[in-house]
């Protein structure tokens, strides 16, 4: 009996390995999950969900939060099953760096029903299409590590209208640049943040019409804020940028008023090259 069980185990492993090597996945290999028409099942993703496919009309689902997929059986589709176990179809969930698939079955037995399932690495396959960018979860982790670091190099500093801005430190991880930026308000007026813009501009501006400016959007920022009273600090993440010595990386803070305060800082390319590694 033991020999027969061992033989079956190796056979199932061999089938799984062959399927993966062929770049295919059989429906019978998918994790089986039970749902019904009364209870919503929530899939919890480790990163923002980019796409979901529900293979049949026997199920209905949505994405109420960027990391949550909610699904349940359609009442009219299962009304004649009388609690009988039956496959309702396959759901495919795609994140920023993974694809996961589950075979959903109908059951009216509460002992089989779950209300939430965490999408674990064992049930996913990586999406390896060209260069794999970092997920928001990874960017959040490294940005948090940078925020925890209390050591500051004060890369650059500027003061205007009672507002002092500092680039405290620059870090790199793979092809990403992490900027630790802080602002201090020395006035008694709260600063209502309009925009924080990042650009690559010419070092020397001879004529306004000759200014060449390229705006760069952060890939991620650790915190979101609309105003600050005295202090504000955040981590901004960018994909790797290169530019000649004739240009600089600028950071421009503006206030959301017609005659609002503004502040501009400049970061040299050499400062980016000398960045610390997280």
């Amino acid at each position: 009996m033991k020999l027969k069980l061992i033989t079956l185990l190796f056979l199932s492993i061999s089938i799984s390995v062959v399927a993966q090597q062929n770049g295919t996945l059989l429906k019978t290999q998918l994790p089986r999950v039970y749902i019904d028409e009364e209870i919503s099942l929530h899939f919890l993703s480790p990163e923002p969900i980019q796409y979901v496919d529900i293979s049949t009309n026997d199920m209905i689902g949505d994405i109420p939060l960027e990391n949550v997929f909610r699904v349940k059986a359609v009442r009219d589709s299962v009304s004649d099953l009388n609690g009988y176990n039956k496959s309702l179809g396959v759901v495919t969930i795609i994140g920023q760096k993974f694809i996961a698939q589950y075979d959903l079955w109908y059951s009216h037995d509460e002992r089989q029903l779950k209300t939430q399932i965490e999408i674990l690495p064992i049930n996913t396959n990586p999406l390896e299409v060209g260069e794999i960018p970092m997920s928001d979860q990874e960017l959040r982790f490294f940005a948090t590590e940078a925020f925890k670091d209390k050591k500051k190099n004060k890369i650059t500093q500027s003061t205007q209208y009672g507002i002092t801005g500092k680039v405290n430190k620059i870090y790199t991880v793979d092809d990403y640049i992490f900027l630790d930026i802080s602002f201090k308000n020395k006035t008694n007026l709260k600063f209502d943040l309009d925009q924080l813009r990042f650009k690559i501009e010419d070092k020397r501006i001879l004529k306004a019409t000759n200014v060449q400016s390229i705006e760069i959007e952060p890939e991620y920022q650790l915190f979101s804020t609309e105003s600050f009273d005295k202090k504000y600090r955040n981590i901004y993440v960018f994909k790797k940028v290169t530019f000649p010595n004739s240009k600089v990386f600028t950071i421009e803070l503006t206030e959301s008023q017609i005659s609002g305060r503004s502040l501009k800082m400049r970061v040299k390319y050499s400062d980016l090259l000398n960045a610390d590694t997280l």
Side-chain angles (χ1 to χ4, degrees):
M1 183 66 179
K2 286 186 177 179
L3 180 60
K4 189 177 292 185
L5 288 174
I6 293 173
T7 303
L8 288 174
L9 177 61
F10 275 105
L11 179 61
S12 64
I13 292 174
S14 300
I15 293 173
S16 177
V17 170
V18 170
Q20 290 179 9
Q21 288 176 344
N22 291 336
T24 61
L25 190 61
L26 301 175
K27 185 173 182 288
T28 54
Q29 294 175 282
L30 300 180
R32 181 180 294 189
V33 181
Y34 293 94
I35 63 173
D36 75 354
E37 72 278 25
E38 300 288 345
I39 301 173
S40 293
L41 171 64
H42 296 75
F43 287 93
L44 309 181
S45 170
E47 57 192 49
I49 296 171
Q50 308 297 306
Y51 168 83
V52 169
D53 177 73
I54 302 174
S55 65
T56 71
N57 294 326
D58 295 335
M59 300 175 286
I60 187 170
D62 63 353
I63 305 175
L65 299 172
E66 65 176 13
N67 289 64
V68 177
F69 168 57
R70 175 173 57 189
V71 64
K72 67 178 179 179
V74 175
R75 186 178 298 275
D76 292 343
S77 300
V78 298
S79 58
D80 297 331
L81 295 180
N82 296 320
Y84 175 72
N85 288 358
K86 178 189 175 184
S87 176
L88 298 181
V90 173
V91 296
T92 301
I93 305 170
I94 296 179
Q96 293 174 320
K97 297 176 66 176
F98 75 83
I99 178 171
Q101 293 181 301
Y102 297 85
D103 186 10
L104 268 57
W105 281 57
Y106 176 74
S107 174
H108 208 54
D109 185 351
E110 290 189 354
R111 293 171 297 180
Q112 292 181 303
L113 299 176
K114 295 180 173 63
T115 59
Q116 60 180 263
I117 291 178
E118 184 179 356
I119 300 176
L120 300 174
I122 192 173
N123 294 324
T124 67
N125 283 323
L127 293 176
E128 300 182 82
V129 183
E131 182 184 347
I132 303 176
M134 280 192 188
S135 66
D136 283 357
Q137 184 184 32
E138 292 170 314
L139 293 175
R140 185 184 303 113
F141 170 79
F142 286 112
T144 302
E145 290 299 301
F147 192 81
K148 289 178 182 177
D149 189 356
K150 302 301 181 182
K151 298 178 182 177
K152 296 177 175 57
N153 293 345
K154 199 174 76 173
I155 306 298
T156 186
Q157 176 176 320
S158 180
T159 300
Q160 192 97 12
Y161 302 112
I163 306 295
T164 298
K166 294 180 184 179
V167 176
N168 302 306
K169 211 163 182 182
I170 304 175
Y171 307 86
T172 60
V173 179
D174 294 336
D175 286 337
Y176 290 87
I177 297 170
F178 294 72
L179 293 184
D180 180 347
I181 302 174
S182 64
F183 297 97
K184 182 180 290 186
N185 181 9
K186 298 179 181 179
T187 73
N188 294 323
L189 293 176
K190 181 178 69 172
F191 192 97
D192 295 314
L193 184 62
D194 177 28
Q195 285 183 319
L196 189 60
R197 304 175 71 181
F198 304 88
K199 302 177 184 178
I200 295 177
E201 296 180 334
D202 294 328
K203 270 186 184 177
R204 298 178 181 178
I205 301 175
L206 300 178
K207 294 181 180 179
T209 55
N210 291 336
V211 175
Q212 298 214 353
S213 175
I214 302 172
E215 188 157 355
I216 300 174
E217 292 288 337
E219 296 286 321
Y220 180 81
Q221 67 182 57
L222 187 57
F223 305 115
S224 296
T225 188
E226 296 181 353
S227 64
F228 62 95
D229 290 318
K230 292 300 179 182
K231 293 182 180 180
Y232 171 58
R233 180 175 169 228
N234 208 345
I235 307 296
Y236 296 87
V237 186
F238 303 85
K239 288 297 291 289
K240 181 178 67 177
V241 292
T242 58
F243 50 89
N245 286 331
S246 60
K247 296 183 180 292
V248 290
F249 185 87
T250 64
I251 303 161
E252 186 175 358
L253 175 76
T254 56
E255 192 173 15
S256 55
Q257 298 176 20
I258 296 176
S259 59
R261 294 163 286 182
S262 64
L263 178 72
K264 194 169 188 176
M265 295 183 286
R266 295 185 170 193
V267 178
K268 296 179 292 185
Y269 186 42
S270 58
D271 292 326
L272 299 179
L273 294 177
N274 293 325
D276 292 334
T277 302
L278 274 174

